[in-house]
Amino acid sequence: QVQLVESGGGLVQPGGSLKLSCSTSGFAFTNYWMYWLREMPHNALERVAKIGPPGREDPWYIDSVKGRFTISRDNTKGTLALQMDNLQKEDTARYFCANGDAATYYSGGLGPGTQVTVSA
């Protein structure tokens, strides 16, 4: 059973930084693409970043976070991270991690997420 647990969210001022973490279990971590998603108004999930399996990492970011967010994975620990710098109010959301393939994330097994609030 896929289990994903996010942590690291919090309240931060505009321009600040946070690092999110995702611990995983129940699947072969190194076989999968990993995604960071965030919940937008009306409960839509927006893809924020993704990273491929070892040797095919090829990180991708949504335009609005390019140059500010960095996705990384620790394949020995089965964990995923998202370093978020220069946070803006529009980054406020609940963030989730997910596994998937190169084209899409798998929505089954999403964890509780972690709330990021950017406010002065």
Side-chain angles (χ1 to χ4, degrees):
Q1 181 179 358
V2 172
Q3 290 196 324
L4 305 161
V5 180
E6 303 87 354
S7 62
L11 173 64
V12 64
Q13 293 185 343
S17 297
L18 283 173
K19 186 172 185 176
L20 307 184
S21 296
C22 171
S23 62
T24 75
S25 63
F27 65 100
F29 183 76
T30 55
N31 288 351
Y32 288 85
W33 287 77
M34 295 299 299
Y35 288 76
W36 281 104
L37 316 168
R38 60 189 179 190
E39 190 172 34
M40 304 304 291
H42 308 299
N43 298 323
L45 285 174
E46 177 179 67
R47 303 179 194 187
V48 176
K50 69 176 181 180
I51 186 168
R56 295 184 290 157
E57 286 84 358
D58 193 22
W60 169 90
Y61 303 92
I62 192 172
D63 284 348
S64 60
V65 310
K66 283 181 181 177
R68 301 188 297 120
F69 290 12
T70 303
I71 189 171
S72 61
R73 61 191 297 160
D74 186 329
N75 297 304
T76 62
K77 297 180 180 178
T79 58
L80 181 72
L82 185 69
Q83 176 67 42
M84 304 187 297
D85 298 318
N86 191 20
L87 282 159
Q88 305 299 315
K89 290 183 179 180
E90 52 267 30
D91 297 317
T92 295
R94 179 163 289 270
Y95 285 71
F96 301 84
C97 61
N99 64 352
D101 58 31
T104 191
Y105 62 89
Y106 303 152
S107 57
L110 287 181
T114 186
Q115 179 67 36
V116 171
T117 302
V118 185
S119 175

